[in-house]
Structures are given as structure tokens and as C-alpha cells.
Amino acid sequence: MDFLSLPKRTTGNRVYGLTCIADFGTPMGELRNILADFHTMIDIAKIGIGSAYVTPNLRTKINLYKEHEIKPYCGGTLFEKCYYQNKLNEYIHYLHDLGIEWIEVSNGTLDIPLQTRIELISQLKESFHVIAEVGSKDCRKEMRISEWIEEIQLLLEAGSEYVITEGRDSGTSGIYEECGTVRCELIHELIKNIDPKKIIFEAPTPKHQMYFIKEIGPNVNLGNVKINDVLMLEAQRCGLRSETFYLEEHECNLL
């Protein structure tokens, strides 16, 4: 259907306007059915936390995503576990063997020094598309807004293609208060100082997603999206939900 006037969405092999799902153990049969209908609405698939290491039929799952032109990668927690155990070389071989071309460099659980992450990104970008992450999973750890901005800028300069802002799958840390409220001042300063096309905002709930769509626009990059929510999210992006109904009339959106 094409008779409605809707916000213009990026399509095909998108470089922004990304929908990045978190796969926390979707069974293969269910995944095949979901991707058959909705694969064009998904750009990146994260095998959540460190679950890739214990996922049955992982290679089959990775290949299925790739067949649908969706970029799979392993969650940052697995990277951190390998870093902690001094097994990064084994991890890199593991990813190459699986045919995974994207890698996340994060410090959501471990306190990996920024300079160390910058050095790792500079090395890894030769073999992978790198996604870095900023922010802690511990809601008690706070970063000043200036630190968020500086860290994201440095990680992008080091070679990260995107930087994820931590929000967890619960939306209760990082860019969110413990109660789930968006840290609006932080978001406003981030998009004022950094190209939002290079940031993936973790937004695990429809409420969080609607905030970013209304604040930044229909082509904001969103992460930690539940796989069963991709159709509803696309409808939100297209102004087909009450909360985003007038989206195409707002000229203040950045994307």
C-alpha cells in the first residue's frame, strides 16, 4: 500500500534508521517464521549477553540471519568474558570460524580502561566491523554528560562504525534512570554534539522507542529491540501509532 503520506524510511542495506534486535534464545523454528515475514525490518541481530557460547545450532542460526541479509554478532558480555580470561585471540578465531563479521567492544560489566578499548578497536577494525558500547550495566555508576560525549567521540575516531548507548534489556541503566525514565538531558546533549546516525540507542520497550522516534525521528538507530516487537516498531516509525501519529508533520526531527 502506498496511498498514505508517511515519514520516509531508509530501506535496503541501511546505514542508519537501524533496527537492532536482541536474540535471547529464539528457537530456530520460530526464528525462521519471524524472518520469513519481517526480515526487511531487521538490520542487525545481537545474540544477547554471552548466550552465543551455549546456543544450540549457533552456526545454523548465524547462517539464517545472513541469508536474510541481517548482520549477526555476539553480545558484548561474551567479549568481556573473553577479555577477563585473556582469551581474545580464541574469541576472534571463534568469530571468524562462524563467519561473523561484526564485533562488539564493551565495558558494561568490566571496567576496561578507555585507552585499552581504543587500542583494541584500532586492531579489530582491520578484520571486523566494530560496534563499541558506552555506559555501565550498574545503575549506581554514573558518568558525567561530558564523559559520555568524549568517550563516544573517541571510540568513533578509533574506528567504531557505531557506538551503542547502554540501556540493558530492561531499560534501567546507562541512558535510563533505575526506574526506566530516559535521561533526557543526556540524550539532548549527545545528539547536539555527535551525529545521531552513528549512535545506536538501546530501547527495549515501546515506550523507550517512541521517545527516541519523537525526539530524533523515524530513522533513529534503535537497539535491544525484542524480536517480536519489530512490526510494532516499524509501525511506530511510520506514524501508524497514536503516540507517533503526527510524526510526518514535525520538521524538528533530525532523521
Side-chain angles (χ1 to χ4, degrees):
M1 295 185 290
D2 59 1
F3 55 85
L4 289 176
S5 175
L6 301 177
K8 186 173 179 57
R9 279 284 281 130
T10 52
T11 58
N13 186 22
R14 285 183 272 251
V15 295
Y16 68 97
L18 305 176
T19 292
C20 309
I21 64 165
D23 184 333
F24 289 108
T26 309
M28 285 300 301
E30 181 181 349
L31 183 62
R32 287 191 181 94
N33 289 333
I34 290 172
L35 296 185
D37 284 347
F38 305 129
H39 66 275
T40 59
M41 302 176 187
I42 303 171
D43 303 285
I44 298 176
K46 175 177 70 175
I47 313 301
I49 53 174
S51 67
Y53 197 73
V54 292
T55 295
N57 304 310
L58 177 61
R59 190 181 302 274
T60 303
K61 175 171 281 192
I62 294 300
N63 290 338
L64 181 62
Y65 277 123
K66 294 174 73 174
E67 287 169 14
H68 287 90
E69 299 184 341
I70 296 168
K71 305 170 182 68
Y73 76 97
C74 299
T77 302
L78 186 55
F79 164 83
E80 293 183 50
K81 190 76 169 182
C82 294
Y83 175 87
Y84 181 68
Q85 295 189 1
N86 196 27
K87 298 290 185 179
L88 283 183
N89 287 335
E90 290 84 348
Y91 181 50
I92 290 168
H93 177 77
Y94 171 79
L95 297 182
H96 283 315
D97 182 60
L98 287 168
I100 294 177
E101 299 173 352
W102 291 72
I103 188 169
E104 180 179 331
V105 174
S106 70
N107 69 326
T109 302
L110 294 179
D111 186 13
I112 303 176
L114 175 58
Q115 187 58 41
T116 300
R117 283 178 281 140
I118 288 172
E119 292 170 0
L120 284 169
I121 291 166
S122 297
Q123 298 167 16
L124 290 168
K125 70 180 181 181
E126 302 300 324
S127 303
F128 295 96
H129 300 278
V130 181
I131 300 177
E133 186 173 55
V134 173
S136 173
K137 297 182 187 299
D138 187 344
C139 60
R140 295 168 298 180
K141 292 184 178 180
E142 293 189 8
M143 292 172 58
R144 295 189 302 273
I145 292 177
S146 59
E147 291 179 300
W148 279 87
I149 294 169
E150 180 183 19
E151 192 163 317
I152 292 174
Q153 289 174 334
L154 289 172
L155 293 172
L156 289 171
E157 290 171 6
S160 298
E161 298 198 21
Y162 300 96
V163 172
I164 301 171
T165 56
E166 176 68 70
R168 302 211 71 176
D169 58 295
S170 56
T172 55
S173 67
I175 56 173
Y176 303 103
E177 304 288 354
E178 188 175 2
C179 63
T181 302
V182 180
R183 295 179 60 192
C184 299
E185 183 183 359
L186 168 61
I187 301 305
H188 292 162
E189 290 301 314
L190 289 182
I191 62 179
K192 184 191 301 181
N193 289 275
I194 301 166
D195 182 358
K197 293 178 182 178
K198 306 301 290 184
I199 303 175
I200 299 174
F201 300 93
E202 288 196 336
T205 72
K207 180 179 179 180
H208 296 140
Q209 294 155 16
M210 284 185 285
Y211 168 84
F212 287 105
I213 292 169
K214 290 193 288 184
E215 190 69 31
I216 300 175
N219 289 305
V220 61
N221 300 320
L222 297 175
N224 262 8
V225 176
K226 296 177 176 61
I227 193 168
N228 290 312
D229 288 348
V230 293
L231 178 62
M232 180 168 61
L233 171 55
E234 193 63 29
Q236 292 181 72
R237 290 184 186 272
C238 292
L240 296 170
R241 180 170 178 150
S242 178
E243 290 82 354
T244 59
F245 192 86
Y246 298 104
L247 190 64
E248 71 274 14
E249 298 180 6
H250 294 176
E251 298 180 357
C252 61
N253 290 320
L254 300 175
L255 302 174

